[in-house]
């Protein structure tokens, strides 16, 4: 996979990419959620 | 010569922008809240970049990038930990509760949050003291890294570089407080992001694409030097042999130590209290995740792939090209593989990385002395001139960092980041988790956890963990042997021993002592 034999490495390589993209999706999905949260006075 | 002129101009422009942002921070700083927690209304994008830029120092890019060059891609597990634990868990799980509790208790520093949650001035004072004493160690290692880079890149004297870097950073931290720190961090973070993105694209393009670059690296496995193979090195695209010395260092110190330790870093945790609502924290995840990926992910992949480049160009491994000094792998690679103009830009990236980490350390050390130790612990909360004393604290701890940079042996400085991360994890993490998630944790439990975590971590690194113990030489001086235990124990990082110990003590003591009053718990957690 991706030129890497050891699954412990290619799995984490993919995990890094997936988690970075996951963060973007999470941030986008929650962009306007929870506005009812109390703001600082 | 042309490139050194370009570099000179680029540094000048960079410094002008830095001063402008510092001045903006100064203009906007009107109250203690502004100086300490940036007025609690920071934009999520600024938060994410500032958190990431403060988190990632030169040592993460150069030091750990070089480590990847020598030992391979196993360190990518740290990247995953940094994104998942350091960003996602930190912002979503810890951040939102930290922010709300900080607001409920009117806390402006990390030690104050813990101190007020457990109604203990001792916790706040002791935590402040711990930061004031040990963070200069971490700051001095960042300072040395930044100054060494300025020495080579701008060909100025090392001592002048230390002074310049310190004075410039101190100037905007002392005048502009956390607002200036976070604005400049965000600008520096943007520079870092662009620099690393270019580095990634160039490297993969040069080596013929993602898969073929990796494949070429995989095929180098047979070239692992005999001495390294005996320590557990199996190649650059595979994990070190399970249980080997390299495996223990990678997994216990680097992946777990730095990966988990980040949650209890006071200069990072305080940033959660700078935004106005939970939504801001969730939005910050959007830019925080990719930012960390571009910083450390790229640094480690490129560090490992530098072997392919050097093998093709010179028939040598990166470790040998760098003359056995892993800190030189990344600079050597960038200097020989990248176009001149990019070298200039990357120098700026590194300067930004050093300054953004330094500024948040300076700010945090200052608030630990001025606010936590002086005002809350010594003056019993008397208001007085907290901001001025904090500024004095910043100046004093900066001086201490500079002195440490000269006095301490190089071996200790190189270990400083790991020492500080490990100490924070053991001393603060169990108590911090308890503060946010376990209402039954008592003041006595928290104090016990703090004290046990601190001293067991210090004892382990002084007497058992070989890397620090031999560099410190205290065990040798007292007992006539470099470490008290032998074998695998000397490879196990303090974090794996001290943090669980601190956690167990905190839980046991909490169960046998009187719970904190219901009213106070309600005040901490809100309705």
């Amino acid at each position: 996979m991706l030129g890497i034999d050891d699954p412990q490495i290619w799995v984490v390589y993919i995990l890094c990419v997936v988690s970075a993209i996951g963060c973007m999706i999470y941030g986008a999905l929650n962009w306007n959620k929870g506005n009812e949260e109390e703001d600082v006075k | 010569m042309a490139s050194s002129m370009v570099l000179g101009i680029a540094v000048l422009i960079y410094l002008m922008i830095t001063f402008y942002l510092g001045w903006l921070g100064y203009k906007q700083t009107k109250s203690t809240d502004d100086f300490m927690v940036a007025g609690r209304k920071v934009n999520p994008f600024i938060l994410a970049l500032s958190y990431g830029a403060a988190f990632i120092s030169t040592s993460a890019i150069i030091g750990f990038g070089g480590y990847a060059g020598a030992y391979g891609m196993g360190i990518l597990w740290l990247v995953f930990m940094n994104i998942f634990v350091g960003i996602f868990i930190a912002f979503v799980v810890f951040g939102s509760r930290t922010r709300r509790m900080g607001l409920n208790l009117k806390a402006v520093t990390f030690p104050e949050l813990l101190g007020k949650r457990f109604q203990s001035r001792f916790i706040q004072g002791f935590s402040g003291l711990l930061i004031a004493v040990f963070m200069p160690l971490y700051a001095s290692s960042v300072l040395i890294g930044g100054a060494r880079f300025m020495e080579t890149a701008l060909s100025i004297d090392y001592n002048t570089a230390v002074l310049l870097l310190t004075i410039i950073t101190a100037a905007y931290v002392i005048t502009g407080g956390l607002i200036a720190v976070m604005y400049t961090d965000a600008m520096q973070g943007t520079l870092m992001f662009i620099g690393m993105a270019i580095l990634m694209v160039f490297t993969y393009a040069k080596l013929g694409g993602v898969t073929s670059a990796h494949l070429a690296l995989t095929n180098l496995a047979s070239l692992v030097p005999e001495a390294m193979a005996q320590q557990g090195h199996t190649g650059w695209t595979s994990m070190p042999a399970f249980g080997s010395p390299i495996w223990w260092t990678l997994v216990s110190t680097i992946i777990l130590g730095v990966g988990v330790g980040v949650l209890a870093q006071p200069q990072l945790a305080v940033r959660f209290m700078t935004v106005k609502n939970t939504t801001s924290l969730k939005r910050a995840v959007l830019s925080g995740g990719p930012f960390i990926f571009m910083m450390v992910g790229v640094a480690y992949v490129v560090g490992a792939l530098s072997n392919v480049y050097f093998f093709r160009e010179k028939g040598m491994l990166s470790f040998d090209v760098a003359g056995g000094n892993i800190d030189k792998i990344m600079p050597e690679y960038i200097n020989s593989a990248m176009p001149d103009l990019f070298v200039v830009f990357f120098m700026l990236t590194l300067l930004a990385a050093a300054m953004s980490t330094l500024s948040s350390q300076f700010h945090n050390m200052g608030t630990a002395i001025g606010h936590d130790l002086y005002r809350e612990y010594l003056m019993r909360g008397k208001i007085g001139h907290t901001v001025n004393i904090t500024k004095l604290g910043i100046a004093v701890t900066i001086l201490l960092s500079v002195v440490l940079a000269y006095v301490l042996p190089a071996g200790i400085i190189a270990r400083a980041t790991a020492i500080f991360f490990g100490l924070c994890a053991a001393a603060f993490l169990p108590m911090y988790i308890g503060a946010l998630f376990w209402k039954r944790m008592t003041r006595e439990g928290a104090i016990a956890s703090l004290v046990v975590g601190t001293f067991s971590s210090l004892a382990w690194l002084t007497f058992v963990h070989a890397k620090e113990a031999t560099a410190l030489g205290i065990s040798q001086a007292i007992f006539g042997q470099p470490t008290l235990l032998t074998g695998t124990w000397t490879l196990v990082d303090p974090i794996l021993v001290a943090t669980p110990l601190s956690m167990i003590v905190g839980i046991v003591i909490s169960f046998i002592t009187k719970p904190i009053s219901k009213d106070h718990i309600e005040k901490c957690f809100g309705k």
Side-chain angles (χ1 to χ4, degrees):
Chain A
M1 187 73 129
L2 294 164
I4 299 168
D5 294 334
D6 187 348
Q8 288 181 84
I9 303 293
W10 65 254
V11 163
V12 75
Y13 189 96
I14 293 169
L15 265 180
C16 289
V17 178
V18 168
S19 56
I21 296 172
C23 279
M24 294 173 76
I25 295 172
Y26 178 86
L29 287 179
N30 284 285
W31 197 262
N32 284 320
K33 268 190 202 161
N35 270 348
E36 68 277 8
E37 277 274 349
E38 192 194 345
D39 286 3
V40 168
K41 284 137 237 160
Chain B
M1 235 33 244
S3 68
S4 72
M5 206 178 81
V6 175
L7 179 60
I9 296 169
V11 170
L12 208 64
I13 296 174
Y14 163 77
L15 289 179
M16 282 165 67
I17 301 176
T18 305
F19 274 117
Y20 173 71
L21 293 170
W23 179 76
L24 270 188
Y26 170 70
K27 291 273 285 179
Q28 291 184 19
T29 301
K30 296 194 179 73
S31 66
T32 314
D33 258 17
D34 289 341
F35 191 88
M36 300 280 187
V37 286
R40 300 190 202 268
K41 47 181 188 256
V42 167
N43 171 294
F45 186 66
I46 304 264
L47 168 73
L49 281 180
S50 155
Y51 181 97
F55 179 8
I56 306 300
S57 66
T58 343
S59 80
I61 297 174
I62 300 292
F64 285 177
Y67 182 92
Y71 300 104
M73 288 189 177
I75 196 174
L76 282 178
W77 282 102
L78 177 62
V79 179
F80 172 66
M81 290 292 280
N82 284 161
I83 299 172
F84 186 69
V85 179
I87 295 288
F88 189 76
I89 302 282
F91 279 57
V92 177
V93 183
F94 283 72
S96 54
R97 286 189 178 231
T98 304
R99 187 200 69 81
R100 216 172 307 138
M101 197 175 281
L103 192 62
N104 291 344
L105 295 172
K106 298 196 169 49
V108 293
T109 65
F110 180 67
E112 184 166 50
L113 177 81
L114 298 171
K116 285 193 166 168
R117 161 69 174 82
F118 294 113
Q119 299 174 300
S120 160
R121 286 228 160 89
F122 172 80
I123 289 181
Q124 186 173 358
F126 190 86
S127 306
L129 186 70
L130 213 57
I131 294 168
V133 171
F134 289 98
M135 202 187 265
L137 202 63
Y138 177 24
S140 65
S141 78
V142 177
L143 194 58
I144 291 174
R148 284 273 173 235
F149 141 76
M150 282 172 79
E151 183 189 25
T152 35
L154 302 171
S155 27
I156 51 174
D157 176 55
Y158 172 72
N159 298 315
T160 319
V162 169
L163 280 180
L164 269 179
L165 196 59
T166 312
I167 292 169
I168 294 169
T169 315
Y172 70 79
V173 178
I174 292 177
T175 53
L178 197 60
I179 301 183
V181 170
M182 291 182 82
Y183 279 1
T184 49
D185 276 359
M187 181 269 290
Q188 288 152 348
T190 311
L191 264 182
M192 289 157 73
F193 189 92
I194 300 170
M196 297 307 283
I198 299 174
L199 181 63
M200 177 181 77
V201 174
F202 260 105
T203 301
Y204 274 130
K206 204 163 194 111
L207 301 178
V210 176
T211 306
S212 60
H214 293 167
L215 205 57
L217 187 60
T218 305
N219 293 337
L220 291 183
S222 59
L223 297 172
V224 172
E226 187 50 37
M228 280 192 184
Q230 276 174 4
Q231 298 279 306
H233 198 324
T234 59
W236 287 269
T237 57
S238 52
M239 279 297 273
F242 180 80
S244 65
I246 294 179
W247 187 89
W248 271 106
T249 306
L250 179 67
V251 174
S252 77
T253 303
I254 297 181
I255 298 173
L256 287 174
V258 181
V260 177
V262 66
L263 285 174
Q265 289 280 296
Q267 79 279 18
L268 298 181
V270 72
R271 280 170 164 66
F272 299 138
M273 298 194 266
T274 63
V275 292
K276 64 176 181 184
N277 53 31
T278 304
T279 310
S280 295
L281 287 167
K282 290 180 177 170
R283 287 180 181 178
V285 170
L286 186 144
S287 32
F291 180 81
I292 296 295
F293 176 80
M294 287 310 280
M295 293 298 114
V296 283
V298 170
Y300 305 163
V301 167
V302 168
L305 286 174
S306 69
N307 285 293
V308 177
Y309 173 81
F310 283 127
F311 188 72
R312 281 182 192 168
E313 297 290 317
K314 302 186 176 177
M316 290 163 88
L317 295 172
S318 303
F319 188 73
D320 301 323
V321 172
N325 179 355
I326 63 170
D327 285 344
K328 289 201 172 137
I329 293 179
M330 291 299 279
E332 283 285 347
Y333 171 73
I334 287 157
N335 270 325
S336 45
M338 295 290 130
D340 278 356
L341 206 63
F342 179 76
V343 177
V344 171
F345 190 80
F346 198 76
M347 297 288 178
L348 220 53
T349 304
L350 290 183
L351 187 59
M355 282 176 71
S356 55
T357 306
L358 270 181
S359 62
S360 58
Q361 292 168 332
F362 286 175
H363 182 268
N364 211 258
M365 296 188 297
T367 56
I369 287 188
H371 188 80
D372 299 316
L373 202 58
Y374 173 81
R375 180 184 166 180
E376 292 297 327
Y377 189 64
L378 296 175
M379 302 290 286
R380 300 274 136 189
K382 230 194 273 168
I383 294 164
H385 302 285
T386 306
V387 170
N388 286 334
I389 291 154
T390 301
K391 289 176 177 176
L392 193 71
I394 296 177
V396 171
T397 44
I398 287 174
L399 213 63
L400 189 62
S401 312
V402 175
V403 172
L404 280 179
Y406 284 108
V407 181
L408 286 178
I412 284 299
I413 292 295
R415 308 291 311 153
T417 308
I419 292 177
F420 187 75
F421 269 64
L423 188 62
C424 282
F428 300 137
L429 192 58
M431 173 172 65
Y432 183 36
I433 294 175
L436 298 180
F437 303 101
W438 193 36
K439 293 178 180 169
R440 179 66 179 82
M441 190 166 201
T442 64
R443 175 185 5 196
E444 292 75 16
I447 291 175
S449 158
L450 172 64
V451 172
V452 167
T454 305
F455 291 107
S456 59
S457 177
L458 288 176
W460 193 264
L461 63 86
T462 312
F463 297 110
V464 183
H465 194 230
K467 286 225 164 92
E468 289 87 15
T470 45
L472 283 166
I474 296 173
S475 175
Q476 183 74 41
I478 300 176
F479 300 104
Q481 53 197 60
T483 53
L484 286 186
L485 299 178
T486 49
T488 309
W489 285 115
T490 60
L491 304 168
V492 177
D493 197 81
I495 195 174
L496 283 192
V497 180
T499 314
L501 200 64
S502 154
M503 205 167 272
I504 293 167
V505 169
I507 294 172
V508 171
I509 301 287
S510 289
F511 273 125
I512 57 174
T513 45
K514 208 168 128 269
I516 288 176
S517 77
K518 241 188 172 155
D519 288 350
H520 182 70
I521 292 293
E522 218 160 71
K523 187 180 163 203
C524 295
F525 288 85
K527 294 278 148 58

